Amino acid sequence: MRTGIRILDDKIGEIPDNVAVLLSTSPGIDPASFGINIMDTALKNNSKCVYIVNNKPASAVRREASTMGLDLSRYESNNLLYIIDAFSGYMGIHSDEKHVVENPFETKNILDEVKKVQGDIIFIDSASSYIDMKEEVEELLRMIETLKKKMTVVALFSAWEYEKEIVKSIKNNFDAVLNIKPVEEVTIVRQFLFPEKIGWKKIKPFAVPVKVLKPGGVKVYFPKILVTGPYNAGKSSIVKSLSNKVVSVDRMGTTVALDHGYMDYKGFAADIYGTPGQEDFDPILQYLADEAVAVILVVDSAKPETFIRAKDMLSKTKAYGLPIVVAANKQDMGNALSAEDVKRKLGLPGDVPVCPTVATEKKGVELLLDELTERLMR
Amino acid sequence: METKSEKLLSELKKLANVGNIEGSAVVARNGLMIASDLPRDVDERRLGAMSATMMGAVETAAITLNKGTIKRVTAEIEKAILVAMGAGKKAILVVSASPNANLGMLMVEMEERVKNIREIIGV
């Protein structure tokens, strides 16, 4: 199975059968969104899933999935997904669910209910609530050992302030540990996924920026990719061709404030900010460019006289040091310079890729995106 | 311990209790969304980007006029009033209210919240 989260999947590879994965999130981040997203990926790849929920009604799981734009009902009606309610019994309330553990205080009852259904992967939402209920950790670990013999286990865990020893013994008992934590940046708080342990593969430490988009689900997410460049280079067309949805504030075809687009490409999601090109707007460039994670510089390949302005915009937007890719746009013009010539004339560092594009026809945009995402992954 | 985002959200929730306010957000001056309490059908990231652009543009206009700094930007829209107010160096508070909202009351409330937001963000 795979998690459906790009970069993570690329680096940790296929998750083997019969392993236990701990998905641990810092307080304030709901692990269920991540669990549900991984489950949705598994279901789409024809794995059968079981989802045990003990800390909220089963309907809350379906609701969370639907806010993420995922529809679980068709899997449920085709017996590809079983949601087991271990919450109602714990709360002593009535349940209309098909699969209910009447008395979840006994682990055996949970295991018996699981035996009645079939699955390749089982999700436990949540392991931390289970520990809280039992007030000890051993029984959870035994349950996971038992389940692991039959299927792959994904346990969701809210990392409240448990004793260090408890956390250590939990983590020791899992084949893989994935942590999702908030990271405070200049102004915003981003979420990153940090693999702490991958039992089946040697990995170097890395972090994946993630966001739960509603709708959209879990994506590798970059909050700001800047598209800049001289006047009339085709920045708005580039933003449009990169984006799934876009809005432009323009007058007579010239951007006067900001183009804002949203891109979703091969598992990468990003908000795209397209700046105006005219110098009159430079004062607001500094706001728009601040905290960008990457820059796409768009130039008109037929107007090398604008390249000085292009480089000036890179320094005004403080782009140096960030990943930069260049769109050598308007390749359809008779006098357009080749990408190699644009690169030479711009005189940017050798590792900055220059991609030939015709943005209005979406030509070359995919290569541009591949170069960009490749750099964002580093 | 409450995180920064939770604290900001509880400030925004206080605004939700004020009559005629339909949504609010703390947006970085660079357009990124810091915290929001907006109706579900609102594209919050886009609203953030555009509010910051609006604020930046008016600020530039103010500097060009040589008439000091801006207190707030108010946009009267057909079915809403959109108000943006600086909340420290890094952020702005954006509020969307119904057109019949009492503007005076709205400003007083926003200024109260801005004080707290500045403290929470710390710059």
Side-chain angles (χ1 to χ4, degrees):
Chain A
M1 82 180 261
R2 287 180 171 268
T3 65
I5 301 169
R6 270 295 293 272
I7 305 184
L8 181 67
D9 284 340
D10 294 347
K11 300 214 177 185
I12 70 172
E14 191 92 18
I15 298 175
D17 293 337
N18 305 92
V19 296
V21 179
L22 186 73
L23 195 65
S24 166
T25 61
S26 300
I29 302 175
D30 185 3
S33 324
F34 292 90
I36 291 168
N37 201 86
I38 293 172
M39 180 167 77
D40 184 71
T41 308
L43 288 165
K44 281 187 181 126
N45 289 315
N46 305 316
S47 295
K48 280 189 173 187
C49 296
V50 180
Y51 196 98
I52 305 180
V53 55
N54 65 358
N55 60 0
K56 55 188 162 282
S59 58
V61 176
R62 298 186 187 100
R63 205 178 317 122
E64 175 67 15
S66 95
T67 64
M68 290 160 65
L70 313 173
D71 177 21
L72 300 181
S73 62
R74 62 195 169 105
Y75 298 113
E76 284 193 87
S77 50
N78 291 331
N79 291 337
L80 295 168
L81 163 64
Y82 301 96
I83 299 181
I84 298 178
D85 175 2
F87 174 73
S88 304
Y90 173 53
M91 296 296 284
I93 52 177
H94 171 75
S95 172
D96 289 324
E97 289 295 318
K98 261 199 220 159
H99 310 279
V100 188
V101 184
E102 298 289 353
N103 176 8
F105 293 93
E106 293 296 329
T107 306
K108 185 179 170 298
N109 296 341
I110 299 178
L111 293 172
D112 284 348
E113 198 57 41
V114 173
K115 269 185 211 150
K116 289 184 202 163
V117 298
Q118 277 183 348
D120 308 309
I121 308 161
I122 186 161
F123 293 80
I124 302 170
D125 181 9
S126 81
S128 36
S129 300
Y130 194 81
I131 295 167
D132 298 343
M133 180 185 82
K134 298 300 278 188
E135 293 179 349
E136 58 121 343
V137 68
E138 291 306 319
E139 202 155 329
L140 170 81
L141 300 178
R142 275 198 298 275
M143 179 168 87
I144 284 166
E145 272 312 305
T146 312
L147 291 170
K148 221 173 94 168
K149 287 178 191 138
K150 294 264 160 57
M151 42 192 138
T152 297
V153 181
V154 178
L156 311 185
F157 187 79
S158 290
W160 301 104
E161 292 187 3
Y162 292 102
E163 283 170 42
K164 276 202 179 113
E165 284 306 307
I166 291 184
V167 175
K168 210 174 145 192
S169 83
I170 296 170
K171 287 182 172 172
N172 278 340
N173 276 274
F174 277 83
D175 303 282
V177 178
L178 306 173
N179 296 314
I180 296 158
K181 293 178 187 172
V183 174
E184 219 170 282
E185 305 225 318
V186 187
T187 50
I188 54 164
V189 181
R190 292 172 70 188
Q191 293 176 2
F192 283 84
L193 188 151
F194 301 89
E196 178 178 328
K197 168 179 164 185
I198 302 294
W200 54 88
K201 200 174 174 187
K202 256 212 158 76
I203 53 153
K204 285 187 194 138
F206 65 94
V208 185
V210 286
K211 189 179 173 77
V212 182
L213 294 171
K214 297 181 174 182
V218 177
K219 299 278 179 190
V220 177
Y221 174 72
F222 302 93
K224 189 187 277 186
I225 289 173
L226 196 72
V227 175
T228 196
Y231 171 65
N232 208 21
K235 296 176 293 298
S236 299
S237 304
I238 287 281
V239 174
K240 281 188 192 110
S241 61
L242 296 175
S243 304
N244 307 60
K245 55 176 187 173
V246 69
V247 63
S248 169
V249 182
D250 64 24
R251 293 288 172 272
M252 318 268 292
T254 292
T255 302
V256 295
L258 173 72
D259 292 329
H260 182 260
Y262 169 70
M263 151 193 139
D264 189 343
Y265 181 74
K266 293 184 181 170
F268 291 90
D271 280 295
I272 300 175
Y273 283 53
T275 73
Q278 285 166 302
E279 288 174 37
D280 298 338
F281 294 100
D282 281 2
I284 56 170
L285 261 191
Q286 54 169 325
Y287 297 110
L288 302 178
D290 182 44
E291 232 175 325
V293 295
V295 177
I296 298 172
L297 177 69
V298 186
V299 296
D300 181 341
S301 308
K303 289 203 177 118
E305 66 275 16
T306 62
F307 290 4
I308 294 172
R309 168 69 180 153
K311 291 191 75 174
D312 176 44
M313 290 186 85
L314 284 183
S315 40
K316 284 208 163 92
T317 55
K318 302 197 170 69
Y320 292 106
L322 297 176
I324 302 174
V325 294
V326 179
N329 198 29
K330 303 198 186 180
Q331 285 293 317
D332 53 338
M333 304 290 262
N335 52 345
L337 296 177
S338 69
E340 293 74 37
D341 285 344
V342 170
K343 181 168 181 144
R344 210 183 47 241
K345 288 224 166 185
L346 273 170
L348 290 169
D351 58 341
V352 173
V354 177
C355 309
T357 58
V358 185
T360 48
E361 295 167 28
K362 289 200 169 196
K363 275 189 193 155
V365 169
E366 226 170 87
L367 176 68
L368 186 74
L369 278 172
D370 287 333
E371 290 285 1
L372 179 75
T373 48
E374 204 257 320
R375 274 159 183 78
L376 286 168
M377 274 172 70
R378 284 179 190 169
Chain B
M1 201 192 73
E2 244 189 338
T3 63
K4 219 187 236 186
S5 341
E6 283 166 342
K7 281 184 195 160
L8 289 172
L9 192 60
S10 70
E11 287 301 318
L12 297 178
K13 291 282 181 202
K14 286 179 199 161
L15 281 171
N17 296 329
V18 179
N20 294 319
I21 292 187
E22 288 162 354
S24 62
V26 180
V27 179
R29 285 187 190 261
N30 64 28
L32 299 177
M33 187 53 77
I34 300 175
S36 72
D37 181 30
L38 292 163
R40 254 180 78 172
D41 59 340
V42 174
D43 183 337
E44 57 164 40
R45 303 201 304 280
R46 174 158 299 162
L47 184 75
M50 290 305 169
S51 306
T53 310
M54 174 174 88
M55 200 72 174
V58 176
E59 197 152 74
T60 310
I63 293 166
T64 314
L65 275 174
N66 250 325
K67 297 286 184 186
T69 56
I70 43 169
K71 288 180 181 163
R72 59 182 169 263
V73 178
T74 308
E76 292 181 28
I77 305 166
E78 197 183 341
K79 290 174 190 163
I81 301 175
L82 186 69
V83 188
M85 202 182 262
K89 268 190 202 159
K90 290 274 179 202
I92 52 180
L93 170 64
V94 184
V95 164
S96 151
S98 62
N100 55 347
N102 179 333
L103 267 184
M105 279 287 288
L106 186 66
M107 299 308 165
V108 173
E109 275 298 328
M110 283 182 74
E111 270 161 22
E112 280 296 308
R113 299 286 76 79
V114 158
K115 272 187 217 157
N116 295 350
I117 292 167
R118 288 178 73 146
E119 241 169 65
I120 296 165
I121 294 181
V123 272

